[in-house]
Amino acid sequence: MAREQEPIGRGDARRQAKVTGLVRHKGHSRWREFWAPLLKVVAITLAVALVSGASVAAIAVNQLATKVAANSVDISNGKKPAKTAKAASFAGGFNVLVVGVDNSTAQGQSYGERDSTLNDVNILLHVSADHKSAVVVSIPRDLVIAQPECTNPDTGDVNPAVDAEAVNASYGRGGLGCVVSTVSELTGLDIPFAGLISFEGTVAMADAVGGVPICLNDAIEDPASGLNLPAGTSVVAGQTALSYLRSRHGVGDGSDLSRISSQQAYMSSLMRVMKSNSTLTDVSKLTGLANAAGTNLKLSTSLANIPTMVSMALALKDIDLNKLVFVQYPSAEDPENTAKLVPSEELATALFAKVKADQPFTLDENSLGNGAQADPAAPAPAETPAPAETADPAATDPAVTDPAATDPAATPAPAAPETIAGLRGQTANQQTCSIAYDY
């Protein structure tokens, strides 16, 4: 082994010590004899710890990647899959459809059985190209619309297009790919990414973040969903979170639209929890959430890889909660069947014109509808301080009377987002309470 290079002057000092017999040389030797081996042990221990930690992280990532790939779903709906660009940084906007299924093989026996698997929850996420705003559209399960031809991914059987069918029948017509094609045709948006979650998956995700605060204006006891909570704010997880999300007879007017209001209140609260420091800096919560997602979500093959998932999360993490808007797809009662809904064409056109153009919008003061109300205990939103008064620049420098004189490329400030009156929903920053159904 090569001899360690000594600092300049150390050899001279040692030779002098031999001549004079200085005792400090022996003290220096004792220091080296004791501390040098100890420092080596510490260094080796740290190195082993770092390598072990990296190995554990690599194993965890590989295991998660294996789970995600094994659970991936083809959403091409019998067509040749389009080539999806590698999402290294998601330089542009993107659309993701999240589908919650009822009576799936993963839901467990405690939820009862139905004749078929239904896509009762259909949530479309659109993130703008500049990653500064996002819209989450909840599509009512009972919305009756035209649906395209769909291919059963298991049997290869082709189901012909239909003129009028409830949205929640699309999964039974051809799996997740059929739901994606149906929503794409309804909204006019290309949807390259999708995910499927069951009841059990919802429970696991709620547990992974340590619970989500939800608010009720009054106590609710809904035997149909199992929800039994007092008035006020409760932190729900597991089966209680699922009961809250499933409760229809216990909230608003007992309709599915009121249940959507509760689901939006839950998702808004979940986003606030996710963006809080307690979650973003808690390694165990982040690991648990990743494992819960990898185990319980069936992602489209276009999304089922770690780099794409991470890039998508990074695109979402810095969006202002005031610019993350949750809305219901505009609908009205079906005149031919009061238990069903039909699209409100004019309002839907206005909504998706903004979405396609990546133009932020706001909701009017009546947007919460009959299923939710503002949380009276929530702190008032902080007011933006008025800019400090400054001397008029024109008084001292005539050159700035015209901005173009100093900056030819100067442009006026962007206009305030337009309000789309009549939409139902809320922003992620709004704290709301579900309204108990008055029997």
Side-chain angles (χ1 to χ4, degrees):
M1 180 180 294
R3 182 184 176 191
E4 180 179 341
Q5 185 177 0
E6 293 183 336
I8 296 175
R10 180 180 294 179
D12 293 340
R14 286 182 174 178
R15 283 190 292 272
Q16 182 65 28
K18 289 181 180 179
V19 175
T20 60
L22 292 175
V23 295
R24 63 183 178 185
H25 174 72
K26 293 183 179 180
H28 181 69
S29 296
R30 286 196 298 270
W31 185 94
R32 289 178 62 86
E33 290 171 0
F34 178 77
W35 286 106
L38 181 60
L39 289 176
K40 288 182 180 179
V41 171
V42 172
I44 292 172
T45 302
L46 287 174
V48 171
L50 288 173
V51 172
S52 299
S55 299
V56 170
I59 292 171
V61 169
N62 286 333
Q63 290 177 340
L64 178 59
T66 301
K67 289 179 182 178
V68 168
N71 288 333
S72 64
V73 180
D74 176 16
I75 60 171
S76 61
N77 193 28
K79 302 177 178 63
K80 184 178 180 180
K83 289 186 178 180
T84 303
K86 294 282 185 182
S89 62
F90 273 111
F94 55 90
N95 302 312
V96 186
L97 183 67
V98 179
V99 176
V101 289
D102 189 0
N103 196 35
S104 78
T105 55
Q107 76 176 29
Q109 296 299 314
S110 60
Y111 304 111
E113 295 184 2
R114 284 177 139 175
D115 295 333
S116 61
T117 299
L118 304 173
N119 50 299
D120 277 350
V121 177
N122 307 275
I123 299 171
L124 176 64
L125 165 67
H126 169 79
V127 176
S128 65
D130 61 7
H131 300 169
K132 292 183 179 180
S133 63
V135 182
V136 179
V137 183
S138 293
I139 301 170
R141 66 175 192 176
D142 296 322
L143 188 69
V144 176
I145 57 173
Q147 297 190 21
E149 177 181 283
C150 289
T151 301
N152 187 306
D154 297 322
T155 65
D157 294 339
V158 177
N159 289 299
V162 293
D163 293 330
E165 188 73 80
V167 165
N168 69 343
S170 57
Y171 187 85
R173 298 183 63 244
L176 183 59
C178 185
V179 184
V180 171
S181 294
T182 298
V183 174
S184 179
E185 191 170 278
L186 172 67
T187 61
L189 298 174
D190 179 41
I191 305 174
F193 307 108
L196 189 71
I197 189 167
S198 66
F199 287 164
E200 293 293 341
T202 304
V203 170
M205 298 291 281
D207 288 344
V209 297
V212 177
I214 58 100
C215 171
L216 306 178
N217 78 320
D218 202 354
I220 291 179
E221 184 174 354
D222 177 13
S225 68
L227 181 64
N228 188 354
L229 284 175
T233 299
S234 301
V235 177
V236 297
Q239 294 291 337
T240 304
L242 179 61
S243 295
Y244 172 73
L245 292 168
R246 293 182 66 205
S247 180
R248 175 167 64 90
H249 301 292
V251 296
D253 59 2
S255 70
D256 187 52
L257 295 181
S258 292
R259 174 163 54 187
I260 286 177
S261 293
S262 294
Q263 291 169 353
Q264 291 178 338
Y266 180 92
M267 289 187 290
S268 297
S269 182
L270 176 61
M271 288 303 300
R272 293 193 294 272
V273 170
M274 288 296 298
K275 294 200 68 164
S276 71
N277 287 334
S278 61
T279 296
L280 296 178
T281 60
D282 190 322
V283 175
S284 63
K285 285 184 180 180
L286 291 175
T287 303
L289 188 60
N291 285 326
T295 303
N296 295 283
L297 279 173
K298 290 187 176 182
L299 303 176
S300 60
T301 52
S302 55
L303 181 55
N305 62 81
I306 300 301
T308 301
M309 293 170 65
V310 170
S311 296
M312 187 175 288
L314 292 175
L316 283 167
K317 74 179 183 68
D318 291 327
I319 292 179
D320 187 328
L321 292 178
N322 283 308
K323 294 181 179 179
L324 175 54
V325 184
F326 294 88
V327 298
Q328 296 177 14
Y329 186 94
S331 62
E333 187 178 279
D334 186 346
E336 297 182 3
N337 183 350
T338 57
K340 300 295 182 181
L341 301 167
V342 293
S344 295
E345 299 287 354
E346 185 176 346
L347 197 52
T349 298
L351 167 63
F352 286 99
K354 292 292 186 185
V355 172
K356 292 174 186 176
D358 274 347
Q359 295 178 351
F361 59 87
T362 59
L363 306 174
D364 64 33
E365 59 184 7
N366 300 314
S367 67
L368 293 180
N370 60 7
Q373 67 177 35
D375 183 353
E383 295 185 3
T384 303
E389 293 186 4
T390 56
D392 183 1
T396 56
D397 187 356
V400 299
T401 55
D402 179 6
T406 55
D407 183 7
T411 56
E418 179 183 345
T419 297
I420 303 181
L423 283 180
R424 293 287 177 262
Q426 66 173 87
T427 69
N429 204 37
Q430 284 181 276
Q431 297 184 40
T432 58
C433 297
S434 293
I435 298 176
Y437 181 64
D438 186 11
Y439 289 94

